[in-house]
Every structure is written in structure tokens, then in C-alpha cells.
Amino acid sequence: MFIPIIVFVLLTSSVHTKVTVNANLHNLIHNIVAFNEKAKATIKHTTDNNVTIAYNKIRDYAVKSDFNEITNNSIDSDTTANRSVSDNGTALILTPLIEQEKYAEARTTCRVDSTYFLGIESYSGYLTVNKTYNSNLFFWYFPSTQGAVNGTPWIIWLQGGPGASSMTGLFDEIGPFTFEPQKGLKRNPNTWAVNHSLLFIDNPVGTGFSFTDSTSGFTKDMTTYSSHLYSALDQFLTIFPELRRAPLYIAGESYGGKYAPSLAMEIHKRKLASEIDLNLQGLIMGNAYIDPQAITHLTRTFYNFGLIDDAQKKIVEPLEESFRGDIAANRSVAAKSKWNYLVTALILLSYQRHAYNFLKDDMSVGKYSVLFARPEIRRAIHVGNINFRMVNLTVNSELAPEFLSSARPLMETLLEHYRVLAYCGQLDQMMACTMSSESYGRWRWSGAGEFHNATRYPFLHEGKVAGYHKSGGRLTEVVVRGAGHMVPMDAGGAAQALVAAFTRDIPISKPNFVIATDTLKSFIKNGTNSIYL
């Protein structure tokens, strides 16, 4: 999830609170629409003064008492504040056992009581990544049940945000089970665990169940979170060494589009220096925020989808132009602030609660977090009394200075050595497929020409067109029909089949009949002289 503050508030208000926000949203929208009319008279130029007027006005409407009423119930607060703390067990920090080379004991100790999770084998615990601040990353690992683990591809899943818990990926997207408050746990028919081992990590420090004892322990840049991830992975592999030879793929969704390549680059450098024995094979990027050039024309996406009209587009254009100016000048904090206001304005103008899939009124994410109020669950997954935050806004704000950092150079280097799958949900407004694709077109690596000249084919799933794909130069780009920002949640079956094919290097399905490019060009040329009755 790539999360502006207003989107987080609107999403979480329907997940964990009994606050009725429809009236509040109606008032907010009424105010922003009224502001449209006034703004036409004031925002005619792209001066900084007018831009300031625009986004301050938007901010004022978004942070009035209605907004505060909603945020008081947000998941950034401890969702288990009222639980008893007497029987939750103790947070299991495995690093001391690893340092004492008690690997078998660490493995036995971190095994999850499968009684509470449909009998599915898994392991969880904490790995210390900074002793000075007692900073620890939480992991939950599910070994493959199909074949030997050391020969089965495994995937490290990193959620975005920044500050969004990878437990969302586990429970709402690709994990072996899903959760509904009234129905409990049930097996996920579209899980990637069918033919992969899965490792979910709450990253950066402070996200989900991960924690630090000091505000200085929060991550502020790519260098730090890549170092933390590598440290956690290195420790994890001492407990599960059979995974060293298994084909590894690192998956990053949304802002995880920075986490995944940064971890992959750490591994790559260590492999070149013979510091680690690990079978890294590739990356899986889902609606990934990799480079700020992919978010420079957000208004165009809403306009092209028909969610705002030309008059409304003109209202927000000065703000977007100022946002692009901050990107050009590398003013990261200012750019993130204006991006927040821009997304807020576009969501309110289009009468939506979020910008992840415009065909969905609500995003049913995070319902699983009520599980973590249960003492037996906390004991089973070894988190003790550590607070859980589905989205930690402190983590989000601490990373504001690196909002404009680009993982493009990392991707260009990694593509020389590893395969990359970049999939995108067609209906996503936050990371629009067209802008992501245009961004890939600016990448420079030895296989760029092969990729740019590759033919685009339909992606078939269960006999139907599930999307479109092209491959070349180790890069495979896929647009998934009918899906939004979180593809595995919206198109689970297609995503499962796509990833299984990619990790086994099996060609993605193509139709039996494909129109040749030359044939199509000839058809179009001849058609210019045709008369249709």
C-alpha cells in the first residue's frame, strides 16, 4: 500500500471503528466542491503563492474536527490497548540464541502453534537489527508443503506504505489463509504458498509488530532499511539454512518497490564479495513505487479514468505543477506534503474513499488485526505485549526525507543479473500502469532494447484474457485486468498463476492465434481508404 494520510484514514475508518463517516465525508466533499468554484477565480497561475492557497485550503477541509474524529480510531493507535497483558506470553527475540549458535533451539522455539492456524506449519519471531536502540524486525515464515523446501522457490514479501504491515500481504493477499471477523480463518484458494515457501517481514522498524525502544531507532533512509533487512535475512538463514539453495524471489508491493531492490542489491554485493551463499533469482514488483518520475502526473490518471472533469483538473494542476517542481529540485519533504494534498483533493473531488481501485467503494483490508487482541494468538506467534500497527504513521513520516529517492539505478544493475516481474493492476490510480510503463521505458540496461522491441501479448487465465504482458532483457511487464493497487486481492487466481509461471521460468500463456504486427499495420493502412456502410 502506498499511503497518503487521508487514504489511510478513510480506509481504516471502515475496518475497526463504529464511527459513521459517511456524513463527515459528505461534508468534506461539499466543502471541496464549493472550493472548486472559489478557486477558479484565485488559481489562474502556477505561482507558489497560489499553489500555497490551493493546498492549504484543501488541507483545512481535510483536517477539521471531522478528520480528527476519524483518526482517533485509526490503526496507528494500539489496536489491542484494552487487552489483558497477563497472559500474552513473551516476545521471542531469536538473536541471542543465534549468537550462541543454538540454531536448533531457535528453530524449535519459534515454531507457531498451528492449532490456531488451520494446522498449517509456520514459524515466527523477532530478529534484532540494531542493538543500540533495541530495534527488532518481526517475521512469519511458511515453508512449502509441496516438495522439498531446498528445491522449491521461496518469496520474501515486503509491504509498502511506508509503514504498512506485511501481515496485510499474509492475511489479505497471498498467505495460506484469510480472516473474516464473523467467520474466522479459512484457507486461501489463491495463496502463493501452494508452490512457494513464504517469508513475511514487517519492515521498516516500527511497522506492524516490529519495534524499537527509541525514536532514534526509526528508519530514515534506504541505506538503513536495506541494512536492517539484510541483517534479519542473514540471521533467519542460520535457523533455516535449507533455504540457501532454494530459488529466492524478493517481492515488493507499492512502496515496497524500494525495499525489494535495496535488499536484492545488498545480497548481490555480498554474493560478489563471497560473503553469502544464497540463490537469488529475481524480483517481483507489484504496482511498485520505484522512481518518482512515475508519479508526476497523478491528475492525468484520474482525468483519463473519467473521475474528474476538465474544470476540476484545472483546479489541481497548479498544485501538481508545484509538486513536479519539488521533484525536479529534489525537495523530498515538500514533495511528499504536496503529494498528500494532491491525492486528498483528487479523492474528494471524485467522491471516493480511496484511490486503489476505482470500481471498489471500500477496501476490505486489515480485518485480521482483531485476531491480535486474543492472548492465545499472541502467545502462538510469539509477540507478547508488543503493540501492533497495521500502518504506523510515525514510520511513514520518518521516511519523508527519502520520499524522492529512486531505486531505478538499483533496478538497472539488478536487471543485468536477475529476472524481474513487474505487474500492475489496471484500475490503480496511485501507481497507474501507463505511468509505470513509461518509467520502465527510461531505464537503461543491456537488455533494454530487447524489452522495448518485445511484442505485447494477452495474458490468459482459465481461458479468458486476464491481462497483457511483454518480456525481454530479463524484464517481464504485466498489466492485470480488473485489478487495482493490490493485485493478489483483486485478481487472486490470475496473480497466483502468473507468479508460479514466473518463478519456474515457464512462458506466460499466449493465445493460439496472435495478430502479427506487420499484418496489423497493413490492415490499418488499408483501412484508411475503406468506406464502411
Side-chain angles (χ1 to χ4, degrees):
M1 300 170 74
F2 193 17
I3 301 180
I5 302 303
I6 188 67
V7 174
F8 167 73
V9 170
L10 300 186
L11 283 175
T12 57
S13 64
S14 65
V15 175
H16 289 290
T17 77
K18 296 181 179 180
V19 178
T20 302
V21 298
N22 289 341
N24 298 330
L25 289 176
H26 177 80
N27 291 334
L28 292 177
I29 294 168
H30 175 79
N31 287 335
I32 198 67
V33 171
F35 171 59
N36 285 348
E37 300 305 316
K38 297 177 182 178
K40 289 176 183 178
T42 59
I43 306 178
K44 296 180 180 179
H45 307 288
T46 58
T47 65
D48 286 340
N49 182 56
N50 282 335
V51 168
T52 300
I53 293 173
Y55 73 69
N56 281 347
K57 198 74 174 179
I58 293 166
R59 178 197 59 195
D60 290 343
Y61 290 136
V63 299
K64 285 184 177 181
S65 58
D66 290 337
F67 182 92
N68 291 329
E69 179 183 359
I70 299 171
T71 55
N72 285 338
N73 295 277
S74 73
I75 299 176
D76 192 49
S77 303
D78 176 15
T79 58
T80 55
N82 295 321
R83 58 178 165 77
S84 168
V85 298
S86 61
D87 54 357
N88 292 315
T90 303
L92 176 60
I93 299 178
L94 295 163
T95 301
L97 291 174
I98 294 170
E99 292 176 339
Q100 298 170 45
E101 298 184 356
K102 296 180 179 179
Y103 308 130
E105 182 180 344
R107 184 174 183 132
T108 301
T109 306
C110 72
R111 181 157 184 156
V112 171
D113 186 346
S114 63
T115 303
Y116 300 105
F117 299 101
L118 307 178
I120 297 171
E121 179 184 359
S122 67
Y123 302 82
S124 67
Y126 288 93
L127 299 164
T128 304
V129 294
N130 186 310
K131 291 186 178 181
T132 301
Y133 303 121
N134 191 26
S135 301
N136 300 268
L137 292 182
F138 175 75
F139 74 88
W140 197 341
Y141 166 57
F142 296 82
S144 170
T145 58
Q146 303 291 324
V149 170
N150 62 0
T152 303
W154 66 298
I155 295 172
I156 298 175
W157 178 271
L158 301 170
Q159 208 78 27
S165 172
S166 289
M167 298 303 99
T168 296
L170 195 169
F171 284 92
D172 291 334
E173 296 189 80
I174 71 168
F177 40 67
T178 60
F179 177 79
E180 289 287 342
Q182 304 304 319
K183 299 178 181 179
L185 287 170
K186 67 175 183 179
R187 288 184 178 267
N188 178 7
N190 299 317
T191 178
W192 296 4
V194 169
N195 37 30
H196 303 90
S197 296
L198 301 178
L199 173 61
F200 299 88
I201 302 177
D202 273 341
N203 168 77
V205 167
T207 300
F209 278 119
S210 295
F211 72 93
T212 180
D213 284 351
S214 170
T215 54
S216 298
F218 286 108
T219 302
K220 296 176 174 59
D221 53 55
M222 185 182 292
T223 300
T224 304
Y225 59 65
S226 60
S227 174
H228 285 176
L229 282 168
Y230 180 81
S231 174
L233 177 61
D234 191 39
Q235 295 178 67
F236 174 81
L237 289 169
T238 64
I239 306 175
F240 302 95
E242 64 273 21
L243 288 169
R244 292 186 184 276
R245 302 314 309 149
L248 169 61
Y249 295 84
I250 304 174
E253 182 178 85
S254 192
Y255 205 91
K258 296 187 182 186
Y259 305 153
S262 66
L263 173 57
M265 183 57 73
E266 282 294 314
I267 295 171
H268 178 65
K269 290 188 298 185
R270 309 287 181 134
K271 286 182 66 178
L272 292 178
S274 300
E275 295 177 11
I276 190 172
D277 178 24
L278 192 58
N279 186 18
L280 177 62
Q281 289 292 308
L283 294 88
I284 301 171
M285 313 294 278
N287 290 67
Y289 176 45
I290 298 170
D291 183 83
Q293 292 303 315
I295 60 171
T296 55
H297 292 83
L298 191 62
T299 300
R300 187 184 85 187
T301 302
F302 279 73
Y303 179 72
N304 288 344
F305 279 143
L307 300 172
I308 60 174
D309 64 15
D310 188 61
Q312 292 170 317
K313 181 165 71 76
K314 285 183 171 60
I315 294 296
V316 294
E317 278 178 345
L319 176 56
E320 186 171 64
E321 289 178 20
S322 182
F323 169 58
R324 286 194 289 270
D326 285 334
I327 292 177
N330 199 32
R331 294 187 291 262
S332 190
V333 175
K336 181 167 184 178
S337 177
K338 289 176 185 174
W339 177 80
N340 266 310
Y341 298 141
L342 179 61
V343 175
T344 299
L346 291 169
I347 288 175
L348 296 178
L349 286 171
S350 55
Y351 290 77
Q352 297 181 95
R353 293 173 60 86
H354 62 85
Y356 298 126
N357 183 331
F358 66 85
L359 293 185
K360 286 190 171 184
D361 293 332
D362 295 293
M363 293 285 288
S364 57
V365 295
K367 295 178 181 179
Y368 62 84
S369 62
V370 299
L371 270 176
F372 301 146
R374 293 165 50 180
E376 66 274 18
I377 297 298
R378 289 186 153 262
R379 290 195 303 270
I381 61 175
H382 316 120
V383 295
N385 297 321
I386 302 300
N387 293 340
F388 174 76
R389 290 173 170 84
M390 191 185 93
V391 176
N392 190 326
L393 298 183
T394 301
V395 171
N396 189 288
S397 62
E398 289 289 338
L399 277 170
E402 81 110 42
F403 179 69
L404 295 182
S405 69
S406 174
R408 170 182 165 178
L410 303 182
M411 295 301 301
E412 291 172 335
T413 298
L414 292 167
L415 277 165
E416 300 292 352
H417 306 275
Y418 309 100
R419 297 167 54 241
V420 175
L421 168 65
Y423 65 76
C424 180
Q426 175 194 24
L427 305 180
D428 186 11
Q429 300 142 258
M430 300 291 287
M431 292 300 305
C433 298
T434 51
M435 291 194 290
S436 293
S437 184
E438 290 168 4
S439 178
Y440 305 151
R442 291 186 285 270
W443 293 1
R444 296 293 176 261
W445 80 103
S446 62
E450 180 185 346
F451 174 74
H452 298 325
N453 294 324
T455 300
R456 195 188 201 210
Y457 297 102
F459 161 42
L460 301 181
H461 176 62
E462 297 181 343
K464 298 179 181 179
V465 176
Y468 309 92
H469 69 96
K470 63 181 289 186
S471 297
R474 297 190 184 88
L475 175 60
T476 296
E477 179 188 11
V478 183
V479 174
V480 182
R481 288 182 67 197
H485 193 66
M486 304 168 77
V487 170
M489 186 170 66
D490 293 341
Q496 181 191 62
L498 174 65
V499 169
F502 176 74
T503 59
R504 284 159 176 77
D505 202 11
I506 300 172
I508 299 174
S509 62
K510 301 176 184 177
N512 294 327
F513 172 72
V514 178
I515 301 175
T517 302
D518 290 341
T519 302
L520 186 58
K521 288 180 178 178
S522 176
F523 174 79
I524 293 172
K525 181 179 180 180
N526 293 335
T528 59
N529 299 317
S530 298
I531 298 176
Y532 293 91
L533 299 178

